[in-house]
């Protein structure tokens, strides 16, 4: 940690801060420049990070040197993490894994139809929402436990593992009974109690980046899960909120590169939610794989015109199958396979 | 709802959509312009809103006419709502109500000291956090129920009602036992299960605007609470996230004016979290009152240098007392009192 | 144009507006719904667009139906535009065209070295800045006309056309004498006089999207150039400003898809400025081509450690050559070639 | 400047950078922490700022300590600057100065009517645009020199100084002949050639903050003008672009507080452009004065329904006069006068 003093800060003010630093068991290193005094703090940065040093008289700015997350950092673990879903199914490493399925589970018939088709096209995990976070209290809120049961049955019938969103700390245990992967949605990225709760189960977790979350904050939220002992975390970029309003959100593909620098965790991309328009899902999926994504989360619906949620962004199964073929070729160019 | 067709959309495509609209029990009104065909849908807009009409062939754009929230709207209730906290204490109407206290409840001694001073200075409600949403799992997470007990005791000793944050659906009942007002934090503004839960208790709720939430979304979240039967909702502007990085967030005071146009609910402002710097709290508080805020939420700490959370943004009790005097004068200029 | 009246707007207010509309030579179509009166305006929308109809009593909202740009729109010209630079060199269509070179022209030696290598690697246009927009008045501002002369000489020596930025209306003629393509930078995207000026020359123009510009605004700025008679406009996505601070800007690759829907103009991507880190240039370039970009603008410098501007984002010639090989393969997958 | 090395950076990498620093005539101060090596650079920071040190092997991050602007900084000049417009008319200091007038000069009659009324209500400067930056090439572009002549005539008739926007380097001399203050609009905040040009005349300049500009960048742009010798710069906050779409832009009143900390230059607020709705102009004007603004820029039009530009945001003269009375009272509360 580096503390920059205001021009003209008094020696007494500097001494006052150094006393504080020493009282925390840390060492201060003073550097008097032409214009400013700068104090470097040597020792575990966490101890100082909690102290409101900006409040001390004479201090202009406090700059942290170390990252506030540890277990999620590339420095903690240098090689890429691979999250094992079940035998033969994993996210991370040399394979690009595609997760596909409808936004909401609407009926057994609907999910069976999608499951069969996406598996055939090469998807390795089936997605489907039973608990739906909806901005309006008057819209379809998901089938709840009934939906989870359908998900489990269809999973067994077609021998494909599943991912589904959990929104409430009270539902974590229940959801973990039925699904293979728990998803924490963008709106819950900083629902810290939910993060702790999914940290205590042993199932893999997809953690979606919040609409206004920096990559650093995404990694801090992952840290919550990791610090509870669950290292099976898959990060997911799904678009951030900007002033642009033609697309629903702005997909930030540079987040893939950033995560690869900063962390060992795998990162997948959800182009469906990011753009909100099915016509953009294919080009953005290809771009994500080209940029180095470890996987994709794609919404597929047998009849988007009748979908109970997010119709405009869901692909038809045949479009999905066609896209998968192109994705395989892109994966090869960047040294991966599907 | 207005549906705009693409230039050159076929009559068959238009008819196809009209059939769908009629099948929902609604009336379509067709208008053929020089360049486009436009279809207006007459009837309850909610029915159509749920349908993914953008997916229909030939459709370019769907524009909604009505607001997606009802109970929170100015049209539902024309006169300003006043939220009663207890006899003689209310938010909304002609009085500007100030809520003050430390970011976190750290000890009985700390809270008593603050309570005494903020009450004397004119605050009508005491705030203090027992459950703290922290971005790092390694920082102080609040005293929990022990904190709530302290809050209740201090409330009774100094005869001042209290507000405290609730973060987890499982804690709503417990928190409501101890505090007079429940606060839903910015990070939980779209934690829909939490909104439903605080909608089912009868205590007033402070609903903070999310860091990336539009005013429309804030009102949609209020609608969740209202639709469960709890009309005692106080909105709170606390800064939004922008590219500007000198301040922690950008306080959006035009949100006050917008809420006054769109809704009957009272709106207060939290300048402490918005700017993250105590030196800005006073000018922004005055600005908020001048812009028509119904109240303020201000952090006050007896010793910010030792605060366990958010030290840099907390006011000293003496600065708070001085500010209160100025706020009273501003309130008078805009036709209110404190 | 659709005008939505407030709930409870009086008949007199509606009549007042209709009178105004008729006075402009347009037809009004009234639709009385259950909750609102809506008036559709039939006739050339431009005429109404200029009128401040929101100000009329009783009006709640005015919604435009048509796009505010014409010549830039896909509706004006359905097939993709191809911008011809010189015989055999063009941007748009089936070929992905790469423009490469240093951020600033620093010396003849530097530019010759880069020109030779990027041409050999497959770049079809050489870039290099002579006028540099720098945020600080104290940093290197470019070589000016001397730089342009070097650019022209090197262009002839290596038989490669050139692109360079023009920042001032007074420099347009001069710059056009030396370079083949004029570039309008992100900070000048809404320098309307500069747009008019480059609209009056006949050379191709690269128009960069402003850091806070919507795609609609980018197309409006293109419209300025087109409306002066110059149709040789190449759009360029170079990152927008968001709250994320790990990358310099956030590259918005969905802008490629959006432009392809809305306009016939070609769009290229500048990954160097967007991310500000050379390590991200390769993955984002591949992503851009996968998403359908018509070309790339890549900064290449023989010795980034000594660059006079933007050192951290410039590729070494050997890295650039390696990247070009991979880009060719991606281009093939998406049905293009390089 | 502080250079943070990557964990595990080699001694050779550190030495390599130190050699570079020494070659620039600067001193390096090395600090080896438990996890990282940090190097502080002592000497004029400008010299290093221009060097792309992030590119050196082993370097993780470069953190600057000093501000990149000098003449605009509070450290350069501690007391508040007061910009003199003419005898008895100034911006800055204890007086809140209001600049008012129509968005565009439309006719002599219109400007005379407004000038008379705003002067009577207490405005000290008349504004009116002759060159209008319009997003569409097809809308009213201003009266040009004819408008400037009207402005000058009306200024003399009513004995009130004037402010008008200049958009093109070629128009600076012409505009300075007719107007007392030159305004650089938000879209031209980083039109560096225009900044240099207005820096070379001696008339006061209003510099508007760009829609996506940080406060630091606003001050950097001011530095351009100051560094040419013109110290009569008035900063202007006029709203920034965020995701919120109810208001046209988000007025950032904390910018006032930030500028007061970082700079000696006066700052005024333009609430009309920020919100785009006349009903919000009054509350936001009061808020701006309460937050410490040195002045306001308010659009007033005799008949907003017929305005040729920005009708919805212009106040009627009688509303303006009423607002001025309230502003005087707010000014008094915060220790100023009007």
């Amino acid at each position: 940690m580096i503390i920059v003093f205001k021009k003209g800060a008094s020696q007494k003010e500097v001494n006052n801060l150094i006393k504080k630093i020493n009282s925390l068991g840390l060492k201060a290193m003073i550097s008097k420049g032409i214009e400013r005094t700068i104090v470097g703090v040597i020792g575990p940065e966490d101890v100082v990070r909690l102290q409101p040093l900006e409040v001390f008289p004479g201090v202009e700015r406090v700059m942290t040197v170390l990252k506030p997350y540890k277990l999620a950092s590339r420095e903690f673990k240098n090689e890429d993490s691979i999250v094992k879903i079940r035998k033969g199914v994993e996210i991370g490493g040399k394979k690009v894994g595609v997760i596909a399925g409808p936004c909401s589970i609407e009926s057994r018939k609907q999910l069976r139809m999608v499951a069969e088709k996406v598996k055939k096209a090469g998807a390795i995990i089936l997605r489907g929402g039973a608990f739906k976070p909806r901005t309006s209290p008057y819209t379809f809120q998901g089938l709840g436990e009934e939906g989870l049961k359908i998900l489990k049955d269809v999973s067994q019938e077609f021998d494909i593992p599943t991912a589904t969103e959990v929104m409430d700390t009270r539902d974590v245990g229940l959801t973990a009974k039925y699904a293979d992967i728990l998803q924490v949605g963008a709106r819950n990225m900083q629902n810290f109690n939910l993060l702790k709760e999914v940290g205590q189960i042993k199932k893999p977790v997809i953690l979606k980046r919040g609409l206004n979350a920096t990559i650093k904050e995404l990694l801090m939220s992952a840290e919550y899960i990791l610090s509870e002992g669950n290292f099976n975390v898959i990060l997911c970029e799904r678009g951030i909120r900007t002033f642009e309003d033609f697309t629903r959100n702005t997909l930030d593909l540079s987040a893939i590169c950033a995560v690869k620098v900063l962390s060992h965790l795998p990162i997948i991309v959800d182009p469906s939610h990011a753009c909100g328009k099915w016509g953009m899902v294919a080009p953005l999926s290809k771009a994500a794989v080209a940029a180095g994504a470890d996987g994709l989360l794609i919404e597929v619906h047998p009849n988007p015109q009748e979908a109970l949620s997010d119709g405009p962004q869901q692909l038809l199964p045949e479009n999905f199958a066609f896209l998968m073929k192109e994705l395989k070729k892109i994966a090869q160019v960047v040294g991966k396979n599907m």
Side-chain angles (χ1 to χ4, degrees), chain A residues 47-210:
Chain A
V47 180
V48 230
R49 202 190 295 278
L50 309 184
Q51 303 294 329
L53 300 180
E54 296 92 329
V55 181
F56 278 73
V59 171
E60 180 178 286
R61 210 147 49 106
V62 174
M63 302 190 288
T64 53
V65 171
L66 302 184
K67 298 183 181 73
Y69 47 86
K70 286 178 197 314
L71 307 175
S73 74
R74 178 67 78 181
E75 287 158 18
F76 176 77
K77 180 165 177 283
N78 195 48
E79 63 279 21
D80 289 342
S81 286
I82 295 177
V83 175
K84 211 159 241 164
I85 314 303
R86 63 158 72 159
K87 204 169 172 300
V89 180
E90 48 192 38
I91 297 284
K94 284 286 162 208
K95 274 197 86 170
V96 175
V98 176
I99 305 169
C103 178
S104 300
I105 301 166
E106 297 168 7
S107 70
R108 186 173 302 265
K109 191 182 154 201
Q110 169 234 30
L111 194 65
R112 289 186 69 247
M113 199 183 305
V114 175
E116 186 181 5
K117 293 194 173 159
V118 298
K119 194 183 175 186
K120 204 176 147 198
I124 61 169
I125 298 161
L126 176 68
R127 62 150 287 153
F131 301 111
K132 299 303 304 172
R134 303 304 298 274
T135 47
S136 166
Y138 308 123
T139 48
F140 178 61
Q141 309 268 321
L143 296 180
E145 187 169 2
E146 192 198 326
L148 293 176
K149 283 179 185 162
I150 295 173
L151 186 65
K152 175 107 191 186
D153 290 352
V154 173
S155 164
Q156 288 175 333
E157 181 180 352
F158 294 95
D159 188 29
I160 184 168
T162 58
T164 200
E165 178 165 355
V166 62
M167 290 166 58
D168 192 317
T169 49
R170 298 171 299 190
D171 295 331
V172 171
L174 180 79
T175 309
K177 267 196 354 200
Y178 292 106
D180 298 290
I181 305 176
L182 269 58
Q183 181 181 307
V184 174
R187 289 182 179 79
N188 280 314
M189 194 202 86
Q190 292 194 321
N191 182 336
F192 301 115
N193 289 31
L194 184 62
L195 297 177
K196 285 183 196 167
E197 210 70 25
V198 298
Q200 279 161 16
I201 57 161
K202 290 291 155 269
K203 296 222 164 170
V205 175
I206 293 174
L207 176 64
K208 286 193 153 187
R209 181 183 183 185

Side-chain angles (χ1 to χ4, degrees), chain A residues 108-334:
Chain A
R108 186 173 302 265
K109 191 182 154 201
Q110 169 234 30
L111 194 65
R112 289 186 69 247
M113 199 183 305
V114 175
E116 186 181 5
K117 293 194 173 159
V118 298
K119 194 183 175 186
K120 204 176 147 198
I124 61 169
I125 298 161
L126 176 68
R127 62 150 287 153
F131 301 111
K132 299 303 304 172
R134 303 304 298 274
T135 47
S136 166
Y138 308 123
T139 48
F140 178 61
Q141 309 268 321
L143 296 180
E145 187 169 2
E146 192 198 326
L148 293 176
K149 283 179 185 162
I150 295 173
L151 186 65
K152 175 107 191 186
D153 290 352
V154 173
S155 164
Q156 288 175 333
E157 181 180 352
F158 294 95
D159 188 29
I160 184 168
T162 58
T164 200
E165 178 165 355
V166 62
M167 290 166 58
D168 192 317
T169 49
R170 298 171 299 190
D171 295 331
V172 171
L174 180 79
T175 309
K177 267 196 354 200
Y178 292 106
D180 298 290
I181 305 176
L182 269 58
Q183 181 181 307
V184 174
R187 289 182 179 79
N188 280 314
M189 194 202 86
Q190 292 194 321
N191 182 336
F192 301 115
N193 289 31
L194 184 62
L195 297 177
K196 285 183 196 167
E197 210 70 25
V198 298
Q200 279 161 16
I201 57 161
K202 290 291 155 269
K203 296 222 164 170
V205 175
I206 293 174
L207 176 64
K208 286 193 153 187
R209 181 183 183 185
L211 275 79
N212 76 327
T214 60
I215 293 156
K216 190 172 96 175
E217 288 170 339
L218 173 63
L219 293 173
M220 293 292 284
S221 286
E223 188 82 8
Y224 257 95
I225 305 174
L226 270 57
S227 70
E228 295 286 336
N230 186 351
F231 270 69
N232 300 305
V233 175
I234 300 157
L235 304 172
C236 181
E237 160 64 30
R238 48 79 73 219
I240 56 172
R241 182 164 272 186
T242 70
F243 56 82
E244 177 57 57
D245 57 2
F246 183 78
T247 42
R248 191 202 283 175
N249 294 122
T250 299
L251 189 65
D252 176 12
L253 290 180
S254 48
I256 300 170
C257 316
V259 163
K260 292 289 169 202
V261 170
L262 299 170
S263 177
H264 54 88
L265 296 171
I267 177 162
I268 64 173
V269 170
D270 173 353
S272 309
H273 278 91
C275 58
K277 294 177 199 283
W278 71 265
M280 291 192 177
V281 170
L284 292 178
S285 294
K286 287 182 261 183
V289 173
D294 293 301
L296 293 164
L297 192 58
I298 296 178
E299 297 201 344
V300 178
H301 194 284
N303 186 2
Q305 291 185 13
E306 304 292 335
L308 295 180
S309 63
D310 282 342
Q313 76 198 29
Q314 307 198 50
L315 281 189
L316 284 167
E318 47 270 33
N319 292 338
F320 175 72
F322 183 80
L323 170 60
M324 287 294 280
K325 284 182 197 151
E326 291 196 300
L327 292 176
K328 266 169 219 180
K329 293 182 207 157
I330 302 266
Q332 275 175 342
V333 175
V334 297

